Amino acid sequence: DAEITQSPRHKITETGRQVTLACHQTWNHNNMFWYRQDLGHGLRLIHYSYGVQDTNKGEVSDGYSVSRSNTEDLPLTLESAASSQTSVYFCASSEALPGDTEAFFGQGTRLTVV
Amino acid sequence: QQQVKQSPQSLIVQKGGISIINCAYENTAFDYFPWYQQFPGKGPALLIAIRPDVSEKKEGRFTISFNKSAKQFSLHIMDSQPGDSATYFCAARGANNLFFGTGTRLTVIP
């Protein structure tokens, strides 16, 4: 079965370190998204991509970057981790725009910056 | 600035009761309004969705009511069951992306 997987599921890192969270989907979806989930804020869009070599900033993109070198993967990099980036991160993908087709979410990565 | 406002933050309902979660928005360009259900340790999953040209959509025990003039929409869960205990997020699509509410933690007591 096609799926979307995130790794690692849990990570603890130190302030100032570079961290990369992986997202891999096997549906061959063009659209991929990264969200962070925080209590009191719901899910907020960090970055998104509509295809290979395409990346776009979301509403909370400062301190994060993504790259899309193939259809299956959209890694999220924290250039210099900060305590404010402690959160649960979700990757999602969709065949077309969310709403025209369903967006599927991964199981999340819980990141703690100490 | 939260583009979609959701209430209540938490909700406790007896088994068999009706659960109601409300959302409001300001951006009239939003054109698609989904509800997502999230169980602990899992990612959100699409539950039901509606477009603004429809005032109500029902799927089993779940109903979305949509009031375009008031810019409000709500999720009604009829005959709530303990298995419905989860966090529910409303969302709205604008500029080709989804904007989420802050979530409602629903607990259904047996």
Side-chain angles (χ1 to χ4, degrees):
Chain A
D1 287 344
E3 61 181 1
I4 181 166
T5 55
Q6 294 182 232
S7 61
R9 293 295 309 278
H10 302 271
K11 185 165 182 69
I12 300 174
T13 191
E14 295 179 343
T15 301
R17 290 193 179 269
Q18 183 180 79
V19 177
T20 297
L21 309 183
C23 176
H24 179 81
Q25 52 97 2
T26 59
W27 281 295
N28 204 37
H29 286 167
N30 283 323
N31 303 332
M32 296 185 72
F33 311 84
W34 273 104
Y35 292 87
R36 59 177 289 174
Q37 183 177 24
D38 304 287
L39 200 61
H41 290 279
L43 291 112
R44 292 179 291 174
L45 184 64
I46 305 172
H47 280 286
Y48 58 101
S49 168
Y50 290 150
V52 176
Q53 302 301 331
D54 176 73
T55 61
N56 306 279
K57 294 181 179 181
E59 56 183 317
V60 289
S61 61
D62 287 349
Y64 303 94
S65 64
V66 293
S67 61
R68 188 88 181 271
S69 59
N70 58 54
T71 301
E72 296 79 17
D73 300 288
L74 186 70
L76 177 71
T77 297
L78 287 68
E79 302 294 343
S80 177
S83 57
S84 60
Q85 295 177 308
T86 292
S87 185
V88 181
Y89 291 86
F90 287 98
C91 179
S93 74
S94 64
E95 183 176 4
L97 295 175
D100 297 330
T101 58
E102 183 173 349
F104 295 93
F105 283 79
Q107 291 195 310
T109 295
R110 183 176 294 275
L111 177 68
T112 303
V113 182
V114 298
Chain B
Q1 180 181 353
Q2 200 72 31
Q3 297 225 30
V4 181
K5 293 181 168 60
Q6 183 172 347
S7 63
Q9 187 174 353
S10 63
L11 181 61
I12 299 174
V13 173
Q14 293 278 355
K15 178 183 175 182
I18 302 173
S19 303
I20 302 174
I21 304 171
N22 300 300
C23 286
Y25 64 97
E26 287 298 325
N27 189 340
T28 55
F30 288 155
D31 62 358
Y32 168 75
F33 300 87
W35 285 87
Y36 281 81
Q37 180 187 55
Q38 183 181 28
F39 293 105
K42 303 292 186 182
L46 180 65
L47 181 65
I48 187 172
I50 197 168
R51 297 193 184 272
D53 54 346
V54 177
S55 61
E56 185 176 282
K57 184 173 182 180
K58 184 175 181 180
E59 291 183 0
R61 296 184 294 109
F62 300 92
T63 300
I64 300 178
S65 296
F66 187 84
N67 186 328
K68 188 175 181 177
S69 61
K71 290 184 283 187
Q72 295 175 348
F73 58 111
S74 59
L75 176 69
H76 296 238
I77 305 174
M78 312 300 288
D79 187 26
S80 298
Q81 299 296 313
D84 297 330
S85 297
T87 299
Y88 292 81
F89 292 96
C90 62
R93 185 178 75 176
N96 298 329
N97 289 308
L98 290 176
F99 297 90
F100 286 83
T102 52
T104 296
R105 177 173 287 186
L106 172 65
T107 303
V108 181
I109 300 172

